[in-house]
Amino acid sequence: MFDVDNINIEKGPQGFESGRSTTGGSMNIESIKPTDKFGGYLDWGYSSYNTNTGKFAINVPITKRIFNRTAFSYANGDGWQHDIHTNQRYGAQDLLSLRNLTKFVIDDRSSLLLNLHYTRDRGTPTSPQDTDPTVGVGPNPKYNQVNVGNNRVGRNENGGGVSLTFNRNFDFGTFTSTTGIDFYRRSLYDNYDGESVNIGDYHWNDTYIAQSHDMHLQTNIARIFHLTVGVYESYDKIDGDYTSYRGYLEGVPVANFSDHFSQQNLSTGVYVNTVTNITRKLDFIAAGRFSYDERGFHGGTTDDNGILSGVPGSHLSYLDQNHEYERFTGRVGLRYKIVPGTFVYGTISNGYKAGTYFSAPVTAPQALDYVRPENLIAYEVGVKSSLLHDKLIINGSLFDYEYHNRQTLFVAEMPGNVTSLSLGPIPRARTRGGELSGTWRNVIPNLDLRASFAYLDAQAISAVSSIGGLPLLSNVTAHSALPFAPRFSWDAVVRYGIDIDRYRMTLQASYTWKDNMLVDLGDPNGESSKISSLGLRMEFGPKTGKWSASVYVDNLMNRHGDIYSFTGSDNSRAQYLQTPRWVGCNLHYNF
């Protein structure tokens, strides 16, 4: 998330214009592309907890047909949490990212874009704010106090890869082909239980490889028929060695359960998307996709010290299987232009999420088992409007999503009196809601307003009391709320500019609010609190935009809402609290 040109977010079923079939939506983040002009920027910031951030980008035309852009980002800071026993800090940042883009102009119609990128993270993970000296949440826990003790906590993550995009413009359309491969290596020690004894601490040790290829043609036929047709293929593999430390829970000095596994996924698809101009104001949308997915898992959880099985190294759960799934998905809809810049639309579509496995250390094979694909039928109506010469932009929609076999996080009771998170299905679930967003530029001279609002009614239609025979910690009744679905959420930004001769000062206030929500099901402690944050920013610089200086504060009111909570392995409650007030300054220079 640096040197970004554009972010495009689409909700609901996707995969008819590029990429893989989805149920939740898609996010496309585009980097700034190399050009034939020399330029770039330098950016430095300093903020709370001795946090330094630096960003840099330079665009260099190497020849008349080869352009290069290099971007760099680095953040380093002390942690904002400290341990009540050792005063050691947690939540520290040490994140480096590099990207180099090279564009080769082959001829007037063809180009190649080479993307080389690398990221490494050696920061310190945050810990739940559970500060009772022994177990559980003590009275009045403080946002900056944690109970890690001498437990090992640390992060060492490295990832990088390469991609190549070919574009060719024809008289009848544009052909695009993108191929990429990425590698990732992680060794992460996490005090997940928030306690200074080993009740549910984890070591995530894994290696990933992910490869994908998307190739599509966009064309217009007779100016009334717009066609996109393409193919997609991806392969990824995870080799993992995940260890759960539960010595205190089992009443012995060391009790480790490790999940040694290899999971591989193959996905292919052929897709087509069409827009037909029936009249000058009415468009008909039709799309289809045929997808094939294959998932395989080999491995399972071992009882490293023989605490439950009596035989060190024996398997408590084990799988060696492959599953195949193929599906046709589609979309139909109408779009009607009321006046120039304003249109209404309605669509019916379906999508699916491929089957998967829950690969954390679990003591029961049912918790490790294959979770069948999730299917979704979505109905949506909405309006998009740009008025007053683009000064006022309004977007709104109403939607109804019907899920079958919805993949959901549950908390279940495992053998050995252990409580554990797992993944399972809800036979039927439904999400209904609406969203509205608007931008109003120059309400009065130099004053801009932006706001958005969302409502969700997300609930399980079917009751669930077990996963593969494992009882849930608490039953899920019909019409229970779904996880990660706050009923209400909204945000607003007010921005005002003041001209001072050749300079400009900009004042900005922003506010976000999110309703409480569940983070999993079957968990009496799995509900977050309402979260709000007020931010202020002041920026000053010449009107030319050559440089700027700014100061800001996030979470001005220093709220400490409960952003994530759950029941730990010993049935005690663990919680993560909101990041505290953050004050900083920033200097930016363009060249």
Side-chain angles (χ1 to χ4, degrees):
M1 294 295 292
F2 65 102
D3 203 38
V4 172
D5 183 45
N6 182 55
I7 300 177
N8 184 38
I9 300 174
E10 299 287 345
K11 67 178 182 299
Q14 299 296 325
F16 305 113
E17 294 182 274
S18 64
R20 179 183 294 179
S21 177
T22 73
T23 55
S26 65
M27 177 183 294
N28 185 29
I29 304 172
E30 295 186 16
S31 306
I32 299 177
K33 304 298 189 296
T35 68
D36 59 354
K37 304 294 183 182
F38 175 81
Y41 62 83
L42 292 167
D43 193 290
W44 173 80
Y46 182 80
S47 60
S48 298
Y49 302 96
N50 197 32
T51 302
N52 284 272
T53 58
K55 296 181 181 180
F56 167 81
I58 183 169
N59 192 94
V60 179
I62 300 174
T63 70
K64 291 183 178 180
R65 291 186 177 270
I66 302 176
F67 319 132
N68 194 81
R69 186 178 184 90
T70 301
F72 161 94
S73 175
Y74 181 64
N76 183 281
D78 299 335
W80 55 276
Q81 298 179 332
H82 67 265
D83 187 74
I84 60 175
H85 303 287
T86 65
N87 211 33
Q88 179 73 30
R89 288 186 174 273
Y90 297 95
Q93 299 182 64
D94 186 358
L95 178 62
L96 170 69
S97 299
L98 300 167
R99 182 189 301 119
N100 191 86
L101 299 177
T102 307
K103 183 177 181 179
F104 302 87
V105 180
I106 301 173
D107 53 39
D108 292 341
R109 294 194 171 196
S110 305
S111 67
L112 276 172
L113 182 66
L114 175 65
N115 181 331
L116 302 172
H117 48 271
Y118 169 76
T119 297
R120 71 121 176 96
D121 189 351
R122 294 177 184 168
T124 306
T126 58
S127 178
Q129 288 92 341
D130 299 351
T131 53
D132 187 280
T134 53
V135 297
V137 180
N140 303 314
K142 295 184 178 180
Y143 69 91
N144 61 350
Q145 291 186 352
V146 293
N147 183 23
V148 180
N150 294 319
N151 287 341
R152 185 174 181 179
V153 174
R155 168 181 282 133
N156 187 2
E157 300 180 68
N158 292 270
V162 57
S163 69
L164 187 65
T165 300
F166 173 73
N167 272 292
R168 171 73 178 180
N169 294 321
F170 299 94
D171 293 336
F172 56 84
T174 301
F175 172 78
T176 303
S177 174
T178 300
T179 300
I181 186 168
D182 274 87
F183 302 90
Y184 171 74
R185 179 76 175 87
R186 172 178 65 165
S187 179
L188 172 64
Y189 288 89
D190 190 3
N191 184 46
Y192 185 69
D193 56 31
E195 298 167 0
S196 59
V197 290
N198 290 327
I199 293 179
D201 297 336
Y202 289 93
H203 178 209
W204 309 105
N205 182 27
D206 46 27
T207 302
Y208 293 67
I209 179 174
Q211 171 271 325
S212 65
H213 181 213
D214 183 271
M215 182 169 59
H216 61 267
L217 175 68
Q218 294 178 312
T219 182
N220 299 329
I221 301 175
R223 295 179 180 262
I224 64 170
F225 185 69
H226 311 274
L227 170 69
T228 299
V229 58
V231 296
Y232 173 83
E233 172 273 332
S234 71
Y235 171 82
D236 59 84
K237 183 180 180 182
I238 306 172
D239 291 313
D241 185 0
Y242 299 162
T243 302
S244 174
Y245 301 98
R246 296 180 177 179
Y248 182 85
L249 180 65
E250 301 300 331
V252 295
V254 179
N256 300 342
F257 306 125
S258 296
D259 188 20
H260 309 275
F261 71 94
S262 177
Q263 181 176 180
Q264 53 192 9
N265 312 303
L266 172 68
S267 179
T268 60
V270 180
Y271 57 88
V272 59
N273 186 80
T274 67
V275 179
T276 305
N277 308 129
I278 298 176
T279 68
R280 292 179 60 186
K281 292 188 174 183
L282 182 64
D283 297 332
F284 174 68
I285 303 166
R289 177 187 178 96
F290 179 79
S291 302
Y292 170 82
D293 282 272
E294 181 179 317
R295 298 267 170 151
F297 187 95
H298 173 77
T301 301
T302 58
D303 186 356
D304 295 352
N305 309 103
I307 301 303
L308 293 183
S309 63
V311 181
S314 61
H315 275 101
L316 299 173
S317 59
Y318 184 83
L319 291 178
D320 184 8
Q321 57 183 231
N322 287 278
H323 287 269
E324 300 176 3
Y325 186 79
E326 56 188 38
R327 181 73 191 272
F328 178 80
T329 54
R331 170 182 292 161
V332 294
L334 292 172
R335 182 171 60 199
Y336 181 76
K337 183 190 298 182
I338 301 175
V339 295
T342 300
F343 63 87
V344 294
Y345 66 91
T347 60
I348 302 174
S349 57
N350 69 326
Y352 81 97
K353 183 191 298 183
T356 189
Y357 299 87
F358 186 74
S359 53
V362 288
T363 58
Q366 301 98 309
L368 192 69
D369 208 357
Y370 178 71
V371 181
R372 294 183 295 110
E374 171 182 296
N375 295 284
L376 167 68
I377 300 177
Y379 308 88
E380 182 176 345
V381 294
V383 58
K384 297 180 181 290
S385 182
S386 180
L387 306 171
L388 305 176
H389 304 288
D390 295 332
K391 289 178 59 177
L392 179 61
I393 299 175
I394 299 174
N395 297 319
S397 67
L398 298 172
F399 48 87
D400 188 347
Y401 293 171
E402 297 181 1
Y403 295 91
H404 294 269
N405 201 58
R406 189 185 190 278
Q407 297 174 3
T408 307
L409 291 172
F410 293 89
V411 172
E413 298 184 64
M414 307 286 171
N417 297 318
V418 174
T419 299
S420 179
L421 191 68
S422 187
L423 186 69
I426 301 177
R428 291 188 60 217
R430 188 176 189 181
T431 296
R432 292 173 290 184
E435 60 181 12
L436 180 66
S437 64
T439 301
W440 192 357
R441 300 187 179 94
N442 285 322
V443 180
I444 60 174
N446 297 326
L447 177 65
D448 296 340
L449 303 177
R450 186 175 75 241
S452 65
F453 170 83
Y455 167 78
L456 289 176
D457 177 19
Q459 55 182 262
I461 303 301
S462 304
V464 182
S465 59
S466 65
I467 301 176
L470 294 173
L472 301 183
L473 189 58
S474 61
N475 290 338
V476 177
T477 61
H479 309 296
S480 295
L482 296 178
F484 300 105
R487 185 168 289 268
F488 295 100
S489 58
W490 66 276
D491 67 85
V493 177
V494 180
R495 189 176 177 90
Y496 183 69
I498 303 172
D499 294 327
I500 308 172
D501 194 17
R502 294 175 299 165
Y503 299 91
R504 186 179 183 87
M505 178 182 291
T506 303
L507 306 177
Q508 178 178 294
S510 60
Y511 186 79
T512 60
W513 186 92
K514 180 181 66 64
D515 212 344
N516 55 354
M517 67 178 186
L518 299 178
V519 299
D520 50 33
L521 293 183
D523 184 355
N525 293 311
E527 182 176 10
S528 68
S529 62
K530 295 176 174 62
I531 302 296
S532 64
S533 181
L534 172 64
L536 299 177
R537 184 181 184 91
M538 181 176 67
E539 184 176 293
F540 179 81
K543 294 179 181 178
T544 60
K546 188 69 174 178
W547 60 267
S548 66
S550 60
V551 293
Y552 64 89
V553 55
D554 292 329
N555 192 11
L556 175 65
M557 307 304 292
N558 207 24
R559 304 291 190 188
H560 305 305
D562 181 359
I563 61 173
Y564 190 88
S565 62
F566 57 94
T567 299
S569 300
D570 62 342
N571 290 321
S572 67
R573 182 176 181 270
Q575 61 179 7
Y576 288 86
L577 301 182
Q578 190 174 353
T579 303
R581 181 188 295 120
W582 208 275
V583 180
C585 62
N586 195 78
L587 297 175
H588 184 90
Y589 178 76
N590 294 313
F591 58 86

